[in-house]
Amino acid sequence: AGAVEEYYNGVKKLETTAAGITVTGDVTATNITTITTALTAIKVAAEDASTDLAGLKAAIATALDSF
């Protein structure tokens, strides 16, 4: 599996890499528990991305929607 990229208005904002996640732009944290939960879900999905890339994309989308 390769990198997963998320765009907003045609501009890449989030990308998974072999080293982790790259975020372009500002990150505003209002609830660290929400962020921790979202990142844990992304990490779990990323570990299974070789067989479930759709699951990784869904976890990222869900995480972004939770903010």
Side-chain angles (χ1 to χ4, degrees):
V4 174
E5 301 172 343
E6 290 292 326
Y7 291 80
Y8 179 79
N9 285 340
V11 178
K12 184 169 35 174
K13 294 295 181 176
L14 185 139
E15 174 182 20
T16 61
T17 67
I21 296 173
T22 301
V23 177
T24 302
D26 295 337
V27 175
T28 302
T30 58
N31 184 332
I32 196 66
T33 302
T34 301
I35 293 170
T36 302
T37 301
L39 292 177
T40 299
I42 291 171
K43 179 181 180 291
V44 168
E47 290 170 349
D48 193 37
S50 63
T51 58
D52 186 16
L53 187 54
L56 176 57
K57 288 180 179 181
I60 291 170
T62 299
L64 293 175
D65 287 343
S66 70
F67 300 108

